[in-house]
Amino acid sequence: MKRTMLITGAGRGIGRALGVFASEQGIDVIALVRAHAGGPGEVFDGVDVTGKDALDRVAAMLGDRPVDLLVNNAGIIGPERQSTLDMDFDGFRHALEVNTLAPLRVVQTFLPNLRAARDRAGIARIVTISSQMGRMNYAKSDRIAYRASKTAVNKLMQGLATDLAAESIAVRVVDPGWARTEMGGPDATVKVEDAAAGIHARAWETDMDSTGTFVDYLGAEVSW
Ligand SMILES: NC(=O)c1ccc[n+]([C@@H]2O[C@H](COP(=O)([O-])OP(=O)(O)OC[C@H]3O[C@@H](n4cnc5c(N)ncnc54)[C@H](OP(=O)(O)O)[C@@H]3O)[C@@H](O)[C@H]2O)c1
């Protein structure tokens, strides 16, 4: 039985590289993208992760199809003006919608598909791509809206891991490294293909012992 993985924001950057890598490994990829740019696998376009209707439309099309792994990848850096002393609050709100609220809504939308996979394979998995920039024990303050949105999604995913443990659905938070994408920029130190391969490994190795953990793409534990 082929395994199925659903990825948000799969049209470019880490999401696209992850979809391509997973396809090469024989995984059925369901790629959610905003605009069709030839994403990997089976592409559903017009899916802004902040839009409930678009997510519900995809869920209706998938029906009871099992999803073994859901990857919350879509994310934004947030507004130009984001300091604690001068904040673009509308931009901050939007960053929270994309980086924090949407991952939880995506999980809730596709929970029936995850449960179907769990019934078939004994386990299903959720991975959210977060960032070390959200760590609480790290007092740097640049891009604070982005940092806060990732801190908050980490907390949500930790709580989700607790709430889904009894259902054998594992939840992990993964930092992709400083990856060369539009967000990471040209000076980033990690090739996007290496980030994707690492995330893929971290995702599929996740089990009920490692649920609720935060790791980097190479598998080193990250402190919250
Ligand atoms: N690159 C790094 O160094 C780095 C480090 C730590 C964490 N991360 C995280 O890794 C994830 C992927 O980042 P990346 O480096 O690949 O960034 P990227 O190159 O900027 O790509 C971002 C992806 O997210 C999608 N996206 C943004 N807003 C969306 C929305 N409202 N609805 C649906 N899709 C949306 C984009 O789709 P469109 O093409 O439609 O805009 C694009 O596919 C993000 O969560 C990011 O925070 C990245």
Side-chain angles (χ1 to χ4, degrees):
M1 183 69 72
K2 274 183 98 177
R3 295 191 291 184
T4 299
M5 172 181 191
L6 181 150
I7 313 173
T8 64
R12 63 186 168 92
I14 291 168
R16 184 189 178 87
L18 183 58
V20 168
F21 185 83
S23 295
E24 288 166 1
Q25 307 302 307
I27 308 284
D28 273 336
V29 172
I30 297 170
L32 273 47
V33 302
R34 272 199 293 201
H36 202 317
E42 189 181 346
V43 178
F44 290 86
D45 58 14
V47 187
D48 186 313
V49 289
T50 65
K52 182 179 185 313
D53 291 351
L55 293 170
D56 287 345
R57 175 174 56 81
V58 177
M61 283 193 277
L62 292 182
D64 57 6
R65 210 161 127 193
V67 170
D68 297 279
L69 169 63
L70 183 158
V71 180
N72 276 312
N73 163 76
I76 55 172
I77 200 72
E80 277 290 309
R81 203 161 48 79
Q82 52 169 305
S83 102
T84 56
L85 305 179
D86 182 18
M87 178 61 74
D88 170 354
F89 282 97
D90 287 337
F92 186 10
R93 188 173 296 112
H94 185 58
L96 288 169
E97 293 229 342
V98 176
N99 295 349
T100 311
L101 276 60
L104 186 62
R105 191 193 289 286
V106 169
V107 168
Q108 291 190 0
T109 304
F110 299 106
L111 204 45
N113 307 85
L114 289 161
R115 287 180 172 136
R118 182 273 324 275
D119 290 345
R120 186 178 69 171
I123 188 169
R125 300 169 172 90
I126 296 163
V127 162
T128 293
I129 311 300
S130 186
S131 172
Q132 308 236 11
M133 287 176 70
R135 282 165 44 207
M136 280 301 290
N137 57 2
Y138 190 43
K140 279 189 82 174
S141 65
D142 61 296
R143 286 163 291 175
I144 197 72
Y146 178 76
R147 289 178 187 277
S149 70
K150 292 297 191 181
T151 311
V153 79
N154 289 354
K155 191 67 203 174
L156 282 176
M157 292 300 134
Q158 188 189 50
L160 189 64
T162 301
D163 293 338
L164 290 176
E167 294 201 45
S168 293
I169 299 176
V171 183
R172 206 175 209 185
V173 177
V174 178
D175 175 283
W178 186 19
R180 274 197 296 284
T181 62
E182 206 166 312
M183 185 186 291
D187 297 334
T189 50
V190 180
K191 272 169 53 183
V192 70
E193 293 82 6
D194 294 342
I199 294 163
H200 185 86
R202 303 291 77 77
W204 290 107
E205 77 186 11
T206 305
D207 58 17
M208 296 318 296
D209 289 330
S210 55
T211 192
T213 56
F214 184 11
V215 288
D216 70 14
Y217 75 111
L218 294 173
E221 194 181 336
V222 178
S223 64
W224 298 99

